[in-house]
Amino acid sequence: MAVTVSPERDIVANPIQRAIREALYAGAIVLGLFVLFIGLKTDQNISNELILVQRWGLLAVLMIATMVGRFLYVAYGQPFLAKQKIADVATGLLPASVATRFFRLPYFIAAIAIVAVLVLLAGSLDGLLGPALAGYARFVRALAIIYALAWVIYYFRAFILAHFSGLGITALALYPIVVVLVLALYTGSMVGGFQGSLKWVDNFGIQILIYVMLAWGLNIVVGLAGLLDLGYVAFYAVGAYAYALLGTHFGLSFWILLPAAGAMAAFWGVMLGFPVLRLRGDYLAIVTLAFGEIIRLVIINWREVTNGSAGISGIPKVSFFGLISFNVSDPNYISKVLGIAQSGAYYKIFLYYLILGLCLLTAFVTIRLRRMPVGRAWEALREDEIACRSLGINTTTTKLTAFATGAMFGGFAGSFFAARQGFVSPESFIFLESAIILAIVVLGGMGSLVGIAVAAMVMIGGTEALRELDFLKQVFGPDFTPELYRMLLFGIAMVIVMVWKPRGFVGSREPTAFLKIRRAVSGSFTKEGHG
């Protein structure tokens, strides 16, 4: 049988030709995926009629950016990465790594100089450059700061990895103090430092730590016990509404209601655990998803108790064990007790250290439980439930303790959320929250506390940083809202991390039981789909 080979197929396309072809493919894919999401937008006119707003320019910008990025990667990025694996003939050494070429001392000095100049001119940027260019200058300043920090992390990575936990806790403890001092130097007064710290402590501190605590609580169920839970936000809601209802109706203290909210969430965790004892995999995920929606619908429809969609307002603030209050009208208000200037930043800083303490408590309990028989039973259940039963482990109590413990920490986080916001409503506890928390656990590495904390900082901090990119309105128009695209960037980041690190940021696993030497086990040696 004769085989005909086309002469065109024998011609090997050069990188430029292949890059052009793949750039066109990428542009076509973007056009097909986003023509309805970005190219067209539904809106209301002055007569409350539904209209379609065409945004072909924004879609064209996205297509061009994707095509240019794909072209540069295929034409220059792939050949460069391939050359990095080829040793030099004369020396026998591999070329310098990309990181070594990128993080050089002259670049670091230039970044520090850029930051210093832009900080000194911060108050007059709008006058010198105009509002449009001033936004770009502030963005360049932020990039220079990020580069300088990345340079320090790269060249001191051995020391940082060896003392990561201690350095991380120290940095978190000093974060509000550093923010206040830096802003005080920037504004020239401590009052300006405290007032300016509100956004940074609240949005970039408290918000991230809430998700860290939620993800660590879900990690007990998903990462340690291997039970896929898509309704974890239900326990978050139970804790929030428990504190809101008991605090507003009975006037009980936060310190009494915090364990009560955790106990109530743990109770509902056990209630969820009983019906799903025989379920695994996708079926377990569907039932937990339904449980989360049931709790949300009960909150909406039980108006006599929860006030329905209107939510509960006037939730009392947290006090420092009744000794110091953060209500201005109270005689023991913090500024009156300590004799300092009045500011709303004191309460945010107090809440920051409170949620930091709750996060550290969650980490401590998780680490201790992993080393106990119940923690090892969770890990055995995660790896193989049949083998777990054959060893005589009671899988019923093992699953129930996992659900109850994880739900308890979700209840703690919910009660703190209610105290922080002063208002709760069902819109805060939708399925998207469960999806975000689960995504943080998966991206960080299931079972890894450090990896999950890093993933929460990157994902939640990154989405919050979008709110600061107002200069993009100069590019895409005044109606462009960067924070509306946070979920798109969240999804892109998930795809990139899953391609680069399929097991999450921290893919290794340290066994709780070991013989003589504790050694980390790479995630590649574990069965796919089992954490």
Side-chain angles (χ1 to χ4, degrees):
M1 182 177 179
V3 178
T4 305
V5 179
S6 175
E8 288 82 7
R9 295 183 181 179
D10 294 337
I11 301 175
V12 179
N14 60 45
I16 300 298
Q17 293 175 340
R18 191 162 61 89
I20 294 173
R21 183 173 65 250
E22 297 209 12
L24 294 175
Y25 290 158
I29 293 172
V30 169
L31 176 62
L33 288 176
F34 298 111
V35 63
L36 296 179
F37 290 101
I38 296 179
L40 298 173
K41 176 187 175 183
T42 57
D43 204 347
Q44 284 182 325
N45 59 15
I46 195 171
S47 303
N48 288 330
E49 296 174 341
L50 187 65
I51 60 173
L52 278 178
V53 179
Q54 299 180 4
R55 301 186 296 180
W56 304 121
L58 183 60
L59 180 62
V61 170
L62 181 63
M63 285 181 58
I64 293 172
T66 305
M67 293 172 66
V68 170
R70 186 62 182 173
F71 175 83
L72 294 176
Y73 175 72
V74 175
Y76 302 102
Q78 287 183 344
F80 175 77
L81 294 176
K83 291 179 181 178
Q84 291 294 110
K85 301 178 182 179
I86 302 175
D88 185 79
V89 177
T91 61
L93 300 176
L94 291 172
S97 65
V98 178
T100 304
R101 298 180 184 183
F102 184 69
F103 295 112
R104 298 197 177 190
L105 184 59
Y107 301 161
F108 175 75
I109 296 173
I112 295 296
I114 292 172
V115 172
V117 171
L118 292 179
V119 166
L120 292 175
L121 298 176
S124 57
L125 282 177
D126 291 332
L128 293 174
L129 304 176
L133 293 178
Y136 288 101
R138 294 187 183 97
F139 182 64
V140 170
R141 181 182 62 191
L143 291 180
I145 294 173
I146 293 172
Y147 176 84
L149 292 175
W151 189 94
V152 173
I153 292 172
Y154 177 73
Y155 280 102
F156 294 94
R157 60 188 182 277
F159 177 79
I160 293 174
L161 290 175
H163 307 85
F164 187 83
S165 298
L167 292 174
I169 295 173
T170 303
L172 289 172
L174 296 177
Y175 174 73
I177 301 173
V178 173
V179 169
V180 170
L181 292 177
V182 170
L183 292 176
L185 292 173
Y186 179 72
T187 58
S189 66
M190 288 300 297
V191 175
F194 276 108
Q195 290 302 117
S197 67
L198 280 170
K199 175 181 67 176
W200 299 100
V201 173
D202 193 16
N203 295 349
F204 291 92
I206 297 174
Q207 185 76 1
I208 293 175
L209 289 176
I210 288 176
Y211 278 94
V212 169
M213 185 174 181
L214 288 170
W216 280 350
L218 182 59
N219 177 59
I220 295 175
V221 182
V222 178
L224 299 184
L227 303 171
L228 183 56
D229 188 353
L230 293 181
Y232 190 72
V233 74
F235 310 121
Y236 188 35
V238 167
Y241 271 86
Y243 175 73
L245 292 171
L246 295 176
T248 53
H249 288 83
F250 299 99
L252 297 177
S253 169
F254 171 82
W255 304 104
I256 297 175
L257 295 180
L258 178 66
M264 190 170 294
F267 170 77
W268 284 106
V270 174
M271 290 297 100
L272 170 63
F274 271 113
V276 301
L277 288 175
R278 295 181 179 275
L279 299 179
R280 286 184 290 179
D282 300 337
Y283 304 102
L284 174 63
I286 293 172
V287 173
T288 55
L289 172 61
F291 178 79
E293 288 300 299
I294 288 171
I295 294 293
R296 187 179 66 85
L297 292 174
V298 168
I299 291 173
I300 293 174
N301 294 296
W302 200 5
R303 298 179 181 177
E304 296 80 3
V305 177
T306 63
N307 201 26
S309 300
I312 302 174
S313 59
I315 300 173
K317 291 183 177 181
V318 186
S319 65
F320 186 69
F321 299 101
L323 302 175
I324 297 177
S325 172
F326 295 93
N327 290 317
V328 180
S329 59
D330 292 344
N332 58 340
Y333 178 58
I334 183 171
S335 63
K336 299 176 184 178
V337 174
L338 302 180
I340 54 180
Q342 181 178 323
S343 175
Y346 304 143
Y347 185 55
K348 294 299 182 182
I349 294 174
F350 171 72
L351 288 180
Y352 173 87
Y353 283 108
L354 176 58
I355 187 61
L356 178 60
L358 291 175
C359 286
L360 295 179
L361 174 64
T362 306
F364 175 77
V365 172
T366 302
I367 292 171
R368 295 296 296 174
L369 287 177
R370 283 194 65 185
R371 297 173 181 173
M372 294 174 64
V374 64
R376 295 173 185 175
W378 288 341
E379 293 181 335
L381 179 67
R382 175 191 63 199
E383 300 301 333
D384 195 322
E385 184 174 348
I386 297 176
C388 180
R389 288 179 180 176
S390 67
L391 293 173
I393 297 174
N394 189 335
T395 56
T396 299
T397 57
T398 302
K399 290 182 179 180
L400 292 180
T401 53
F403 275 115
T405 307
M408 179 183 67
F409 291 117
F412 288 162
S415 62
F416 174 84
F417 172 79
R420 173 210 178 194
Q421 296 293 112
F423 170 79
V424 291
S425 67
E427 285 75 18
S428 300
F429 310 105
I430 58 178
F431 167 71
L432 183 61
E433 294 296 317
S434 290
I436 291 174
I437 299 166
L438 180 62
I440 291 172
V441 174
V442 174
L443 291 178
M446 290 191 289
S448 169
L449 296 180
V450 174
I452 290 171
V454 173
M457 181 180 67
V458 172
M459 296 303 172
I460 305 302
T463 54
E464 289 296 325
L466 287 175
R467 304 180 191 274
E468 308 301 319
L469 303 181
D470 290 336
F471 72 93
L472 291 178
K473 293 183 178 181
Q474 306 296 330
V475 179
F476 299 107
D479 296 331
F480 181 76
T481 308
E483 56 266 26
L484 294 180
Y485 294 88
R486 64 186 185 277
M487 296 311 300
L488 175 62
L489 297 180
F490 194 94
I492 293 173
M494 286 182 61
V495 172
I496 293 173
V497 172
M498 288 296 99
V499 171
W500 173 53
K501 299 278 288 184
R503 294 283 172 175
F505 288 142
V506 180
S508 61
R509 181 184 303 156
E510 286 193 0
T512 54
F514 56 92
L515 183 63
K516 294 184 180 180
I517 302 175
R518 181 192 297 271
R519 293 180 178 176
V521 181
S522 173
S524 59
F525 289 102
T526 61
K527 187 178 178 181
E528 185 69 34
H530 288 255

